Amino acid sequence: LAIPEEVINLISIDFVGPDVPRGLKPRQFTIGGNKKKKTIKFTFYSKHLQKHTSMNGTEKLWDAFVLFNPGLGHPNLEAGWIDTLQFILNYKRGVPVLFTAYNSIDAERDHNIIQEAVSNIDNLSKPRNNLLNKFSLNPFASRLGTFDDVPSEGSPATNHSDDESYVKKQKIAYANRFILLYNPAENNGTI
């Protein structure tokens, strides 16, 4: 079902998560001319997604979820994602989820966590084990390299660490280098 462009007058994007700075005010921009005027609204929530299912007594409805480089399978981050990932994959509307990953190691770890979570969803009529495709290279990935500052051992380091041995252990990562789309509404949940 395609929605004609003229029907979409408001695009609302919610930034949700504990890393979103507290106190950010919603922002709204209007673009286009008289007949093709569109409004884009950005709203910021600094708690976990599952705690924002209703706002002012109205249930929030999302059309899709995007997780940019979440580190779902990273040993230091995995536990913090369990509830949110379960919420997203069990969301009653069955909406698509786009995941990105920094590198092939990050993509493989995240894929394993997503695969396990999808195979454990109770409300499926048949198991979806091994139906989840792997991450693929993202043609729109950032070309700007950054250091992976959450090593697999230990805790995240600050940007101004004086430990030279730590700096040598860091890996170069590229934001959104790999991409995976999980769409439960199509092809029995395959990518």
Side-chain angles (χ1 to χ4, degrees), residues 110-124:
D110 286 3
H111 178 269
N112 291 339
I113 296 296
I114 298 164
Q115 178 74 37
E116 182 180 337
V118 167
S119 67
N120 290 331
I121 295 175
D122 294 331
N123 61 355
L124 298 174

Side-chain angles (χ1 to χ4, degrees), residues 21-173:
R22 294 185 188 280
L24 288 178
K25 303 274 189 245
R27 297 183 183 147
Q28 189 167 304
F29 303 93
T30 302
I31 56 175
N34 291 338
K35 292 186 179 185
K36 291 192 175 197
K37 190 181 288 188
K38 308 287 182 212
T39 301
I40 302 173
K41 181 178 181 182
F42 299 98
T43 311
F44 308 92
Y45 305 102
S46 59
K47 292 185 180 175
H48 289 92
L49 175 66
Q50 60 274 20
K51 297 184 184 198
H52 291 289
T53 57
S54 68
M55 305 308 285
N56 301 327
T58 304
E59 183 178 8
K60 291 288 287 183
L61 298 175
W62 291 285
D63 295 317
F65 297 104
V66 180
L67 283 77
F68 292 109
N69 309 320
L72 300 171
H74 194 285
N76 296 329
L77 303 174
E78 183 178 348
W81 278 107
I82 293 170
D83 292 340
T84 300
L85 185 60
Q86 287 302 320
F87 174 83
I88 288 171
L89 295 177
N90 287 299
Y91 188 62
K92 61 185 168 190
R93 297 180 66 210
V95 300
V97 186
L98 179 74
F99 300 92
T100 66
Y102 278 116
N103 54 42
S104 59
I105 295 168
D106 192 33
E108 184 66 30
R109 287 189 302 220
D110 286 3
H111 178 269
N112 291 339
I113 296 296
I114 298 164
Q115 178 74 37
E116 182 180 337
V118 167
S119 67
N120 290 331
I121 295 175
D122 294 331
N123 61 355
L124 298 174
S125 57
K126 57 185 174 181
R128 293 184 185 171
N129 288 333
N130 301 317
L131 291 178
L132 194 64
N133 288 343
K134 299 281 186 181
F135 276 81
S136 59
L137 285 174
N138 179 2
F140 305 103
S142 172
R143 304 280 190 261
L144 178 64
T146 59
F147 285 112
D148 180 2
D149 62 352
V150 184
S152 59
E153 66 283 335
S155 58
T158 61
N159 290 338
H160 46 276
S161 175
D162 292 329
D163 180 0
E164 186 130 345
S165 65
Y166 171 76
V167 173
K168 290 178 183 174
K169 291 180 193 173
Q170 289 180 325
K171 304 276 191 248
I172 297 292

Side-chain angles (χ1 to χ4, degrees), residues 7-21:
V7 174
I8 301 173
N9 296 318
L10 172 67
I11 298 172
S12 180
I13 301 174
D14 295 335
F15 292 87
V16 182
D19 292 332
V20 174

